[in-house]
Amino acid sequence: MNICVIGTGYVGLVTGACLAEFGMNLICVDNDIQKIDLLKQGKVTIYEPGLENLVAKGMREGRLRFSSNIEEGLKTSLVIFIAVGTPPREDGLADLQFVEEVAKAIAHWMDGYKVVVMKSTVPVGTARWLRDLIQRQQMKPIPFDVVSNPEFLREGSAIEDFMRPDRVIIGAESEQAIAIMKDIYSALYLIETPFILTSLETAEMIKYATNAFLATKVTFINEIANLCEKVGADVHHVAKAMGLDGRIGKKFLHPGPGFGGSCFPKDTRALSRIAREKGYVLRVVDSVIEANEYQKERMVKKIEEMVGDVRGKRIGILGLSFKPNTNDIRESCAIAIIQGLLKLGAKVKAFDPAAMEETKTILPEVEYGKDAYDVAKGADALVLVTEWNQFRRLDLSHIKALLKEPIFIDMRNVYDPESMRRLGFRYCGVGR
Ligand code: NAD
């Protein structure tokens, strides 16, 4: 089957490479010509474990190619996946300008029946709006179907998530489109992946409800962690015991500096706005958004509590990406924390294994180190913000010797508080 994926970002490129691995013929299109030129040479511009190898394999075996020509992509394909960005607008709603551009191009170049699949996260009602828009823009009536197929991959483990998803959601209204979608994902039938066949609106809602629930879970444990600090309880034991309750589950109960990234912040805000537009207030989601903002501010206060007045002090930051194994810094808590520190007059030196170039463009005033030890050297405190594996086994005696003051603030609870104190650190984690 010939498939076109439009947008070669985190979702589009993974979708293209994985569908090629499933045996489909893929053409991946992006209007970022520089990105496409690099991809044509097999160079992947995002940090995602395993992706470069998978792209190379697809290209070598002749099932994966790249183009900046949308006409070429559309004319040769039966199925069009839309995977362009839907960034937040000022008012919180998802900005659909890129989706609209693509919809107009699809209408313009369509030369026969197509299945148009919405992979991007879009407000409820968008698939139907997309269908009407394409229909209105067509030069002559050509049949097509619209499908909502939201994506749940996590950056850092995107390939595994795409290849072995917990479920596949297909929102569709036509039997033909459903049959084509089932064919595309037939490899997943073998591993007994549950398929949810539903309406367009329900599929769109599933994506937002899932992300809002996960964001709620993270925020809930963050709030419990904050209270643990006040009452002298250990949030790790609390989370572990809670997670053993089958009704709760142990995932997403890790306290930290707040949630960030390209999805949870924007999707919670968008869901809240969607509700308000329909005259309903999602009180839980609104509280989650507010509590998450507070959590990031609280992390800056935590540093102040440990260091005292941070003006003129040098703070070392480990980790800039919003989570390990990605170079994505969109709404990363590390960025918010650094901005908070800079505002208070602190000097910041930071290191991240993959996201330094990205961060330099938005935080040029930060000094960038070559590794964790370089950052620790002469610093008044070291703050671990993103739990990359290489920060889990630091030579702590060496770190302590390099620091000006032996202050270690561990926002991911990577280290054991007692051992750290025994080593002579003034240590604090979150909720312990
Ligand atoms: P991204 O910003 O990494 O990639 C979007 C790509 O679309 C870019 O390469 C951009 O150049 C391209 N693009 C924009 N307009 C275009 C056009 N008119 N024609 C061709 N290409 C165009 O975004 P992403 O992180 O991959 O997210 C894409 C969508 O998937 C969003 O709606 C997001 O919410 C959703 N999503 C993201 C993740 C994630 O972890 N990143 C997970 C699930 C869902």
Side-chain angles (χ1 to χ4, degrees):
M1 191 182 313
N2 293 331
I3 297 175
C4 172
V5 177
I6 304 177
T8 58
Y10 290 88
V11 168
L13 190 56
V14 170
T15 301
C18 290
L19 292 180
E21 182 67 12
F22 286 170
M24 312 286 144
N25 293 318
L26 262 295
I27 176 162
C28 295
V29 176
D30 204 291
N31 60 359
D32 182 337
I33 295 172
Q34 207 186 347
K35 200 184 258 188
I36 290 295
D37 283 344
L38 288 168
L39 284 167
K40 280 180 177 171
Q41 300 164 42
K43 291 187 187 140
V44 171
T45 51
I46 52 177
Y47 181 96
E48 180 61 50
L51 187 55
E52 199 154 87
N53 284 346
L54 202 64
V55 167
K57 183 166 180 262
M59 290 172 82
R60 201 169 51 240
E61 293 173 0
R63 287 192 308 276
L64 179 61
R65 61 200 175 94
F66 297 96
S67 173
S68 49
N69 182 347
I70 197 161
E71 177 188 356
E72 183 192 357
L74 294 172
K75 286 198 164 163
T76 53
S77 306
L78 170 66
V79 183
I80 324 288
F81 279 82
I82 301 178
V84 296
T86 50
R89 292 191 323 207
E90 196 80 343
D91 64 2
L93 271 180
D95 185 346
L96 294 177
Q97 61 164 312
F98 304 123
V99 175
E100 190 170 342
E101 272 169 33
V102 170
K104 287 179 178 165
I106 293 174
H108 187 79
W109 297 113
M110 193 182 281
D111 57 351
Y113 174 76
K114 308 274 175 202
V115 179
V116 181
V117 184
M118 182 54 82
K119 253 261 171 263
S120 302
T121 304
V122 289
V124 182
T126 302
R128 210 166 285 286
W129 164 83
L130 178 73
R131 195 186 59 190
D132 295 345
L133 180 65
I134 296 176
Q135 224 155 30
R136 277 202 313 274
Q137 297 278 329
Q138 279 180 333
M139 321 269 220
K140 57 178 190 293
I142 300 172
F144 67 96
D145 283 309
V146 169
V147 169
S148 169
N149 173 221
E151 182 51 54
F152 297 90
L153 63 78
R154 295 162 299 173
E155 288 174 23
S157 55
I159 293 172
E160 177 68 12
D161 290 347
F162 194 96
M163 298 279 206
R164 288 176 212 285
D166 290 334
R167 75 302 209 187
V168 172
I169 310 298
I170 297 175
E173 292 179 332
S174 114
E175 287 305 321
Q176 188 176 359
I178 292 171
I180 290 170
M181 292 305 290
K182 283 183 169 172
D183 196 15
I184 292 172
Y185 287 117
S186 58
L188 300 180
Y189 277 95
L190 300 174
I191 53 170
E192 297 184 5
T193 306
F195 277 67
I196 308 288
L197 299 178
T198 186
S199 69
L200 296 169
E201 286 78 9
T202 308
E204 292 166 335
M205 191 65 196
I206 288 169
K207 174 64 191 176
Y208 278 112
T210 302
N211 274 4
F213 186 79
L214 293 172
T216 303
K217 221 174 157 188
V218 171
T219 305
F220 184 84
I221 203 65
N222 283 343
E223 293 239 273
I224 294 296
N226 297 345
L227 185 57
C228 280
E229 288 176 7
K230 295 200 182 292
V231 300
D234 183 336
V235 74
H236 264 216
H237 291 175
V238 175
K240 188 172 178 190
M242 281 174 65
L244 287 169
D245 187 322
R247 294 167 300 178
I248 296 174
K250 64 179 186 219
K251 290 188 179 161
F252 280 77
L253 285 181
H254 304 287
F259 59 77
S262 68
C263 291
F264 288 3
K266 94 171 161 59
D267 293 350
T268 44
R269 286 199 294 267
L271 186 60
S272 166
R273 277 306 305 250
I274 293 166
R276 267 170 216 275
E277 292 209 332
K278 295 288 173 195
Y280 188 75
V281 179
L282 279 173
R283 289 166 184 81
V284 172
V285 176
D286 286 350
S287 303
V288 165
I289 296 166
E290 191 192 331
N292 195 55
E293 286 309 309
Y294 172 74
Q295 190 70 4
K296 288 184 270 183
E297 287 163 23
R298 194 181 150 86
M299 293 300 117
V300 177
K301 291 207 183 82
K302 210 180 232 308
I303 297 170
E304 279 187 298
E305 276 162 24
M306 292 292 284
V307 177
D309 186 359
V310 296
R311 186 171 301 275
K313 299 265 174 69
R314 168 103 84 77
I315 311 295
I317 299 283
L318 300 183
L320 296 165
S321 55
F322 85 94
K323 64 191 273 192
N325 289 324
T326 181
N327 61 340
D328 198 342
I329 55 163
R330 287 178 282 184
E331 305 222 23
S332 168
C333 294
I335 307 296
I337 291 165
I338 292 173
Q339 282 167 335
L341 288 169
L342 292 173
K343 219 181 200 168
L344 292 170
K347 291 184 229 144
V348 174
K349 186 165 180 178
F351 171 72
D352 186 282
M356 302 241 273
E357 289 310 311
E358 291 72 8
T359 313
K360 278 177 193 169
T361 61
I362 56 164
L363 290 174
E365 60 273 61
V366 167
E367 198 186 333
Y368 294 88
K370 63 179 188 327
D371 58 25
Y373 303 97
D374 190 26
V375 164
K377 204 163 157 191
D380 292 281
L382 191 61
V383 186
L384 197 166
V385 188
T386 313
E387 69 282 30
W388 283 86
N389 271 343
Q390 44 268 74
F391 302 148
R392 288 180 182 276
R393 296 229 174 271
L394 293 170
D395 178 345
L396 292 167
S397 307
H398 188 35
I399 290 279
K400 183 165 168 276
L402 289 168
L403 282 167
K404 193 164 151 208
E405 295 292 334
I407 298 174
F408 196 111
I409 300 154
D410 180 0
M411 294 186 176
R412 300 288 178 175
N413 291 346
V414 166
Y415 291 100
D416 174 54
E418 273 316 301
S419 318
M420 290 299 277
R421 282 170 202 142
R422 266 203 304 277
L423 280 169
F425 282 101
R426 282 179 55 214
Y427 170 90
C428 86
V430 179
R432 312 174 85 180

